[in-house]
């Protein structure tokens, strides 16, 4: 079964850091671009970042550029998101999503909640 | 990366057809045939319904169809059913989701 499972969410203070992980299974992870997408409580979806199959290209949304870093370990079939300098408006459910073709997200994880609050 | 514009809500009666619009610019929707649509139930992850403007993934009902004209893409749901009540989001190559549309089945 093709599956993505996120972990690492939790409560963090403003200015703090958190690292999210996404474990992939059921497909050849190393042959797909991967993404992080988030959704603030009661709000819409926001694309956060993506990374090329071999990790050589990374793109970020304007709201997280310079604070978040996406990475992957193809040997471990895992995707990560290092989040630094967290702000209250980073509070959201964070989903990892597989890319199909041109920025089409065909497989999603169940999401992990990040709450930034003092 | 400005959000694409969708109507906040659309409603219809069972069996009717509804259309959700997604308006962008000549730099995103107007420039590429890479528009996708996602269905999301409360508390659940989004699900891909349409990709590359008008293609349906395996397992998606043919009641869902997509199209594009100029800078606006559209998702049409035919033969509306109670299970179609959900939020719908578009996404265009260039990195922006739509603002989201809540579909209500009357």
């Amino acid at each position: 079964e093709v599956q993505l499972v996120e972990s690492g969410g939790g409560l963090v203070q403003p200015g703090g850091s958190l690292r999210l992980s996404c474990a992939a299974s059921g497909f050849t992870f190393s042959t797909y671009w991967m993404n992080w997408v988030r959704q603030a409580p009661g709000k819409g979806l926001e694309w956060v970042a993506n990374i090329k199959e071999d990790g050589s290209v990374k793109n970020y949304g304007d709201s997280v550029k310079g604070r978040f870093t996406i990475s992957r370990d193809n040997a471990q079939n895992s995707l990560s998101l290092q989040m630094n300098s967290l702000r209250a408006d980073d509070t959201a459910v964070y989903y990892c999503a597989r890319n199909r073709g041109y920025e089409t997200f065909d497989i999603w994880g169940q999401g992990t909640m990040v709450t930034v609050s003092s | 990366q400005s959000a694409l514009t969708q109507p906040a809500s659309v409603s219809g009666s069972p069996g009717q057809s509804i259309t959700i619009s997604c308006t962008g610019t000549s730099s995103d929707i107007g420039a590429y045939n890479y528009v996708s649509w996602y269905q999301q139930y409360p508390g659940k992850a989004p699900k891909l319904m349409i990709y590359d403007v008008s293609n349906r993934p395996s397992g998606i009902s043919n009641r869902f169809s997509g199209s594009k004209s100029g800078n606006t893409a559209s998702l049409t749901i035919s033969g509306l059913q109670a299970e179609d009540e959900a939020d719908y989001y578009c996404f265009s190559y260039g990195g922006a989701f739509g603002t989201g549309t809540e579909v209500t089945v009357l």
Side-chain angles (χ1 to χ4, degrees):
Chain A
E1 179 190 6
V2 175
Q3 196 172 12
L4 296 170
V5 178
E6 302 93 338
S7 60
L11 175 64
V12 60
Q13 291 188 338
S17 299
L18 205 60
R19 187 177 183 89
L20 306 182
S21 298
C22 172
S25 60
F27 64 99
T28 307
F29 180 73
S30 62
T31 63
Y32 289 89
W33 282 72
M34 295 296 296
N35 300 264
W36 287 99
V37 175
R38 69 184 181 181
Q39 186 170 36
K43 302 297 184 181
L45 300 171
E46 179 186 12
W47 174 79
V48 173
N50 66 13
I51 185 169
K52 194 178 178 182
E53 296 96 325
D54 62 0
S56 62
V57 177
K58 304 174 185 181
N59 298 297
Y60 298 92
D62 291 342
S63 62
V64 306
K65 204 170 293 183
R67 300 187 300 123
F68 290 11
T69 301
I70 189 172
S71 61
R72 66 190 298 161
D73 183 339
N74 287 341
Q76 297 294 322
N77 293 333
S78 69
L79 176 72
S80 296
L81 185 68
Q82 177 66 42
M83 304 185 296
N84 298 330
S85 303
L86 283 162
R87 311 185 301 225
D89 62 359
D90 293 318
T91 294
V93 174
Y94 284 74
Y95 297 99
C96 66
R98 189 179 80 171
N99 234 62
R100 170 200 179 134
Y102 288 92
E103 295 185 16
T104 293
F105 314 118
D106 67 337
I107 303 295
W108 297 68
Q110 85 288 351
T112 187
M113 182 71 202
V114 172
T115 302
V116 183
S117 175
S118 54
Chain B
Q1 297 172 348
S2 299
L4 307 174
T5 301
Q6 297 180 231
S9 62
V10 173
S11 62
S13 299
Q16 286 187 328
S17 293
I18 62 169
T19 297
I20 302 168
S21 61
C22 172
T23 302
T25 68
S26 57
S27 297
D28 40 58
I29 292 179
Y32 308 100
N33 287 323
Y34 301 128
V35 178
S36 50
W37 289 90
Y38 302 86
Q39 176 192 64
Q40 186 181 34
Y41 293 114
K44 300 296 186 181
K47 176 182 179 181
L48 177 65
M49 305 301 285
I50 295 288
Y51 68 97
D52 295 353
V53 175
S54 59
N55 294 305
R56 278 188 310 276
S58 174
I60 299 301
S61 170
N62 60 9
R63 297 187 299 105
F64 292 85
S65 62
S67 63
K68 190 190 87 166
S69 178
N71 298 337
T72 298
S74 298
L75 174 71
T76 297
I77 308 175
S78 304
L80 198 62
Q81 299 179 1
E83 66 199 50
D84 301 330
E85 190 162 288
D87 293 327
Y88 293 82
Y89 295 90
C90 59
F91 184 88
S92 174
Y93 185 72
F97 279 98
T99 49
T101 298
E102 179 181 29
V103 168
T104 301
V105 181
L106 301 172

